[in-house]
Amino acid sequence: MGNQMDRLSHLSYAEVPTVDPVGGSDAAEGPRIGVSYIFTSDDDELEDGAEKDPNQEEKAHDQRDEVQCAVYNRDECIYEKSSSLESYSPEVLLNRCAAGDLVEFVTTGQYPHWAVYVGDFQVVHLHRAEVKNSYLTEASQGRRCRVVNELYKFKPLCADMVVQNAMEQVGLKDRELSWRNSECFAAWCRFGKREFKMGGEIRIGKQPYRLKIYMSDKTSHVLEFQSLEDMIMEKRRNDHLGRRAMMQELSSHFSSVEESQSKAGAQ
């Protein structure tokens, strides 16, 4: 990690390596190997880094455009998101929160922002490369929000420990941080698993994590990753894109693959 390397980014599925880990020749068969995000971080910067015009109406959250997916570590489902997650205004959510809850702030076209509710109307969250203690209404920045304790299937720590984990990190910033984004930070606070931290897993050998993206009731697309951290980065990228844009991206990618295969077969 001491060598200086260019930041890795992932702009579209056309840039994902097309190696078929099951050895098949059809790109539509079997999972594809996902990109590695070793030297990149979103930290919600694309939306949180910009100053908001107080007179500008906040963009609505379109639940129908959310990407439905599941994550597997080998054969065990460790995360699942369906279309049934309802979001609320910050004021309404305050009546539904308990200390230790995970809160997700959502707006169409932005990365989701995660936080830990610590009581007294406050959350702890990783925001602009710093762990901060804020009022929930302030952290929302006008976005809708929801409790997302059940998305990850790991056994949670007790509420007091979750709050303690969060509060002990307040004030950490920049190089002191051990998490690439707000989701990794909040999930680490609740579950205490090192896999949510930067470098928590060694990226060697097979890809034990599978991100299964539901394209319809009968079809899905699968990407494989060497670490939970990389998988979360890709999942968040899809959340940022939204279902419609992601489907267009996948369709474009498969069309390119089929065209390449047709040209190769004609030679």
Side-chain angles (χ1 to χ4, degrees), residues 10 13 37 65-67 69 111-112 211 213 223 231-243 245-246 249-250:
H10 179 161
Y13 278 99
Y37 290 90
D65 198 39
E66 288 200 79
V67 178
C69 65
Y111 283 96
L211 173 60
I213 303 168
L223 286 171
M231 185 284 305
I232 290 173
M233 294 289 286
E234 177 63 18
K235 178 177 69 65
R236 289 172 60 78
R237 191 189 75 91
N238 290 335
D239 289 336
H240 175 231
L241 283 175
R243 178 178 175 80
M246 186 209 64
E249 188 178 279
L250 283 172

Side-chain angles (χ1 to χ4, degrees), residues 21-262:
V22 297
S25 59
D26 188 347
E29 296 180 359
R32 287 161 45 77
I33 298 176
V35 72
S36 176
Y37 290 90
I38 298 175
F39 299 102
T40 191
S41 170
D42 64 55
D43 189 26
D44 315 331
E45 291 293 347
L46 288 185
E47 77 278 6
D48 289 342
E51 294 297 326
K52 295 181 178 294
D53 181 351
N55 298 318
Q56 181 180 359
E57 185 175 347
E58 185 67 51
K59 195 174 183 180
H61 173 235
D62 185 357
Q63 189 173 338
R64 298 168 299 177
D65 198 39
E66 288 200 79
V67 178
Q68 299 178 45
C69 65
V71 177
Y72 294 85
N73 182 6
R74 296 180 172 85
D75 295 326
E76 179 185 4
C77 181
I78 60 172
Y79 175 100
E80 188 168 22
K81 183 170 74 172
S82 66
S83 59
S84 60
L85 286 173
E86 188 174 354
S87 60
Y88 306 90
S89 69
E91 293 76 15
V92 170
L93 192 74
L94 280 172
N95 296 320
R96 297 171 176 265
C97 280
D101 282 349
L102 295 184
V103 176
E104 182 184 43
F105 303 102
V106 289
T107 294
T108 299
Q110 292 185 359
Y111 283 96
H113 187 73
W114 286 48
V116 178
Y117 186 71
V118 294
D120 296 327
F121 312 114
Q122 298 176 53
V123 296
V124 172
H125 57 136
L126 176 57
H127 175 61
R128 297 187 190 176
E130 182 179 354
V131 178
K132 300 178 180 180
N133 186 192
S134 311
Y135 284 105
L136 186 147
T137 51
E138 175 187 329
S140 74
Q141 296 187 343
R143 292 169 288 195
R144 295 183 67 80
C145 42
R146 56 199 179 192
V147 174
V148 289
N149 293 338
E150 307 303 322
L151 291 185
Y152 284 99
K153 308 304 179 183
F154 303 120
K155 182 179 179 180
L157 303 172
C158 67
D160 288 345
M161 182 59 69
V162 176
V163 172
Q164 180 179 324
N165 281 345
M167 294 300 295
E168 287 180 348
Q169 317 311 316
V170 172
L172 293 184
K173 60 176 64 176
D174 301 324
R175 294 182 180 274
E176 300 172 324
L177 297 172
S178 298
W179 311 270
R180 292 199 185 279
N181 52 60
S182 61
E183 180 173 341
C184 286
F185 169 73
W188 173 82
C189 290
R190 182 169 175 82
F191 303 108
K193 297 183 71 66
R194 61 179 173 80
E195 288 86 348
F196 288 109
K197 287 189 170 185
M198 288 188 285
E201 294 174 281
I202 300 176
R203 295 173 172 85
I204 296 177
K206 296 182 178 180
Q207 290 76 25
Y209 294 97
R210 289 182 293 127
L211 173 60
K212 186 175 184 179
I213 303 168
Y214 297 110
M215 302 173 67
S216 69
D217 292 338
K218 296 182 179 180
T219 60
S220 61
H221 180 69
V222 178
L223 286 171
E224 292 190 337
F225 297 87
Q226 288 184 323
S227 72
L228 181 62
E229 184 184 11
D230 285 345
M231 185 284 305
I232 290 173
M233 294 289 286
E234 177 63 18
K235 178 177 69 65
R236 289 172 60 78
R237 191 189 75 91
N238 290 335
D239 289 336
H240 175 231
L241 283 175
R243 178 178 175 80
R244 298 182 189 91
M246 186 209 64
M247 295 287 284
Q248 292 174 355
E249 188 178 279
L250 283 172
S251 177
S252 176
H253 164 72
F254 288 132
S255 296
S256 297
V257 170
E258 290 175 359
E259 182 179 352
S260 298
Q261 290 179 339
S262 297

